Amino acid sequence: MAEPPGGRLAAALEAAGCGASASEAALAKVLQPFPSPSEAAVAGVLGMVARTSEGRLSGDMAGVGPGGLATAPVGDGSSSWNAAVLAAGLTAANPRLDWQQVAAALDQPGFAVPDAGALKLLMAVWARASAGTPFPLPALVGGLWGNTAGQLSFLRQAAAAPPELFTWVHAPRRQEPLEGLHAGKSPVGTPNQAWLCLDLADTLARLSDSGHAPAVRSILELPLKQCPEVLLLCMAAAQASWGPLQQVRTAARGAAEGCSGGGGLCRL
């Protein structure tokens, strides 16, 4: 398998271990032999730190204050990667970095977001480096990645994350909130508003149709339980065919009809 872009830099940091992010000086020492890192190289580093963070960080939002992830301490630089040091050190190594392009370059061999803690670290680096700019959703759901396993792992965590960790509210293609649900249910589905994002639905449908139906089905289990009405409308609006997951759409319709008493939802 070909080495991913920037693979040598990511490999050097992985060999150095989390201690390389104990301080900006320690990180600069590892970065010094390498040329100014490109967006692809930085994306490779982010993929490495996310992949190697499995089980090392809590998936909860303890310690996230009013400033959100842009100011929260995430990682200690000894047992886990320090998000603040990584963001500052990589930016210092190349002040011209385009972090939007970094996000677009995450589709690399080996990229994975194995758990909520890994997503927390990845988004903490992003928030600090981008001055709190929301993660660009087209980089994640603008089409199928070459590394579909990595994309699915990212989608699994991002779709289930609390909004303080990952939000979908800025999605460029959104369905309208579903007002008038019974028992005061939220018109936006889940707090992060993932199931109003039509590109998320399209991407999951395409992933299902390309041989990843079981993985997609597992991602849909949570909204099927929490907000079947919103999920049903999102699935109905998707431009791609749901193919092997028609039974999930049928289940969402049944759950929505049972909750709402039918109405317009019955016709979807």
Side-chain angles (χ1 to χ4, degrees):
M1 181 174 64
E3 182 180 54
R8 290 192 303 122
L9 178 58
L13 280 167
E14 184 172 5
C18 298
S21 67
S23 67
E24 289 187 43
L27 182 59
K29 186 176 181 180
V30 179
L31 297 178
Q32 191 276 328
F34 295 90
S36 180
S38 66
E39 285 80 8
V42 171
V45 170
L46 296 186
M48 181 277 294
V49 300
R51 173 177 51 78
T52 59
S53 293
E54 184 173 13
R56 296 192 181 192
L57 288 172
S58 169
D60 64 29
M61 298 307 297
V64 177
L69 284 173
T71 59
V74 178
D76 57 16
S78 59
S79 62
S80 59
W81 297 97
N82 186 305
V85 169
L86 287 169
L90 291 168
T91 300
N94 181 1
R96 297 178 178 274
L97 275 174
D98 182 337
W99 282 87
Q100 298 286 319
Q101 291 300 315
V102 171
L106 290 174
D107 178 11
Q108 297 187 18
F111 177 88
V113 185
D115 58 23
L119 180 66
K120 184 178 181 179
L121 174 61
L122 187 63
M123 290 300 103
V125 176
W126 170 264
R128 287 178 179 272
S130 66
T133 302
F135 186 84
L137 296 176
L140 178 57
V141 291
L144 295 192
W145 285 16
N147 175 11
T148 52
Q151 185 178 25
L152 280 162
S153 73
F154 197 168
L155 287 171
R156 178 185 305 279
Q157 301 304 328
E164 297 86 356
L165 184 56
F166 196 100
T167 181
W168 298 79
V169 70
H170 57 295
R173 293 179 59 238
R174 284 165 51 90
Q175 68 174 355
E176 291 298 317
L178 184 57
E179 304 290 349
L181 293 174
H182 82 299
K185 295 182 70 174
S186 171
V188 298
T190 53
N192 66 9
Q193 301 192 25
W195 304 106
L196 296 183
C197 177
L198 298 179
D199 287 324
L200 172 59
D202 281 339
T203 300
L204 289 174
R206 292 178 63 192
L207 284 164
S208 172
D209 219 25
S210 63
H212 301 282
V216 173
R217 186 182 296 110
S218 69
I219 292 173
L220 295 175
E221 286 176 359
L222 182 63
L224 186 58
K225 294 176 182 177
Q226 292 187 341
C227 54
E229 305 94 339
V230 174
L231 175 63
L232 176 61
L233 288 181
C234 193
M235 294 178 74
Q239 294 176 351
S241 167
W242 284 93
L245 288 185
Q246 286 297 335
Q247 71 273 28
V248 174
R249 185 171 170 176
T250 300
R253 182 187 298 113
E257 290 174 0
C259 291
S260 66
L265 290 173
C266 295
R267 296 190 297 271
L268 295 175

